Amino acid sequence: MHPLAWWLWALGLGTAASRTTNPLLLALLIAVAGYVVATHRTDAPWARSYTAFVKLGLAVLVIRLAFAVVLGSPIPGTHTLLMLPEVPLPDWAQGIRLGGRVTAEGVLFALYDGLRLAALLICVGAANALANPARLLKSLPGALYEAGVAVVVAMTFAPHLVADVQRLRAARRLRGRPDRGIRGLLQVGLPVLEGALERSVALAATMDSRGYGRTAEVPTRVRRTTAALTLGGLLGVCAGTYGVLTAAGGTYGLPVLLAGLAAALAGLRLGGRRSPRTHYRPDPWGVRASLVGASGAAVAVLLILCEAYDSAALHPTVVPLTAPDLPLWPAAALLVGLLPSFAVPGPPAPATTAQVPTPATPIAPTTATAPTVTAPSKEDA
């Protein structure tokens, strides 16, 4: 599976999560992402990042609730949960309070808002757990070749640095020297830095011998067009993303975002002419990759259409205090995100050690006893 397909799928789910505050829909979206990760995650080191993103999402949710309780909420409410001692603040801090009345409406609004941010983080964690980062960087366009190589080098050297630190600390402990504190850190840091510099010099020599950094001759007008398209496209992507994520920019956000993406892709395409290079075993973009990317895009588009058609179902009110309902069509749209779990085969099962049959105890071969030869006696003579 092409790694970019997983990122397109995850970004589609993240876009859908940003369009709703309904906790039932957000919980369903988290369940969809978790199911796909559970069925297609491998044993690779980067696949373990999903648990870290889930924990980060829970931490964000708890912090958002804590801020709502301690600093108050802009949502007015009539159902008081508890009264905290309020700290008086000066006049220049108008609009901010510490403590005071905590209402159920304010806590519920903070819960909805924090759950949406947690869902976004979990979608990003799903992409990190499913997509191979090295293969993703290899798929970068030629204009981003230098940046991709820098990231690959950093990702390759980081495990070596950790291994060097662990090795040096173990050696110091065996010699009875301290490996913690400022003194231990200084005495361990110098050998680690020396090893990193040696590897950097060796890598620079190998990259120079293989022609790294050589660029092709490109006309001036092509360079200027590339810069204009790339810069204008990135500005269009930023403006379009802001319009998509806000309610006021719903009319212009999507067209500006698409135009910015088209301009940025055209600029990257032209910029790739400066870096003539070949791909070793490029990842193919097949039918399954198209289905995975299309499923994420379909979820995002369907949620945007549902929000335009019935915004109240995707944004339940907290004033007055009411229980949220699960709308049928948005829930069915989120279930489209389960398509990768059926269209893409799961990872192969880990190889198990075959049971080797215990050999039977061999029977010791019978050895023939050699006849004993005795010296002849006088009678025999």
Side-chain angles (χ1 to χ4, degrees):
M1 176 56 59
H2 200 286
L4 185 59
W6 288 121
W7 273 101
L8 292 177
W9 169 79
L11 291 177
L13 294 185
T15 303
S18 66
R19 309 306 297 182
T20 178
T21 56
N22 191 319
L24 300 179
L25 292 177
L26 292 174
L28 180 61
L29 187 144
I30 293 173
V32 167
Y35 181 78
V36 175
V37 170
T39 55
H40 289 76
R41 184 171 57 174
T42 61
D43 295 333
W46 61 82
R48 305 170 187 170
S49 61
Y50 183 72
T51 305
F53 275 92
V54 171
K55 294 179 180 179
L56 180 61
L58 292 176
V60 167
L61 181 60
V62 172
I63 293 173
R64 182 67 180 88
L65 290 175
F67 281 177
V69 171
V70 177
L71 301 178
S73 176
I75 302 300
T78 57
H79 298 78
T80 303
L81 295 179
L82 69 159
M83 291 291 296
L84 297 177
E86 188 171 357
V87 179
L89 297 176
D91 295 337
W92 54 267
Q94 293 292 332
I96 303 175
R97 69 174 180 85
L98 294 176
R101 188 167 66 99
V102 179
T103 62
E105 290 83 355
V107 171
L108 197 61
F109 176 79
L111 176 65
Y112 293 172
D113 196 26
L115 189 59
R116 177 170 58 178
L117 183 55
L120 287 171
L121 292 173
I122 290 174
C123 291
V124 175
N128 279 275
L130 294 173
N132 189 334
R135 289 172 53 194
L136 181 64
L137 291 172
K138 188 177 70 173
S139 303
L140 288 177
L144 303 177
Y145 173 59
E146 289 82 2
V149 171
V151 175
V152 169
V153 170
M155 292 174 58
T156 305
F157 276 11
H160 291 289
L161 293 178
V162 175
D164 288 346
V165 171
Q166 294 176 351
R167 178 176 54 83
L168 291 172
R169 291 183 61 185
R172 291 184 62 83
R173 285 195 298 267
L174 290 175
R175 295 185 178 97
R177 298 177 182 177
D179 62 325
R180 299 181 182 275
I182 302 299
R183 182 180 178 184
L185 180 62
L186 293 176
Q187 295 182 358
V188 169
L190 185 60
V192 170
L193 181 61
E194 182 181 359
L197 289 176
E198 291 178 355
R199 282 192 295 268
S200 300
V201 172
L203 177 65
T206 56
M207 294 174 68
D208 183 66
S209 64
R210 294 171 182 172
Y212 175 77
R214 299 177 183 176
T215 57
E217 292 294 335
V218 178
T220 305
R221 58 182 181 83
V222 175
R223 291 200 302 267
R224 293 176 179 175
T225 305
T226 301
L229 286 175
T230 305
L231 183 59
L234 293 178
L235 291 176
V237 168
C238 293
T241 304
Y242 176 79
V244 169
L245 295 178
T246 56
T251 56
Y252 71 88
L254 189 58
V256 172
L257 178 61
L258 295 177
L261 284 175
L265 291 176
L268 293 177
R269 182 72 176 179
L270 289 176
R273 296 183 179 181
R274 297 184 63 250
S275 178
R277 63 191 180 101
T278 58
H279 290 272
Y280 175 69
R281 296 179 64 184
D283 292 322
W285 184 277
V287 178
R288 291 173 177 171
S290 301
L291 289 176
V292 171
S295 65
V299 171
V301 172
L302 290 175
L303 259 292
I304 292 174
L305 294 177
C306 290
E307 184 187 21
Y309 178 73
D310 188 7
S311 178
L314 272 66
H315 300 278
T317 180
V318 295
V319 180
L321 195 62
T322 55
D325 298 328
L326 181 63
L328 179 60
W329 291 111
L334 293 179
L335 293 178
V336 178
L338 289 174
L339 181 61
S341 61
F342 303 101
V344 181
T352 57
T353 305
Q355 297 293 331
V356 179
T358 304
T361 304
I363 302 175
T366 305
T367 55
T369 305
T372 304
V373 180
T374 58
S377 59
K378 293 181 179 180
E379 292 80 2
D380 295 333

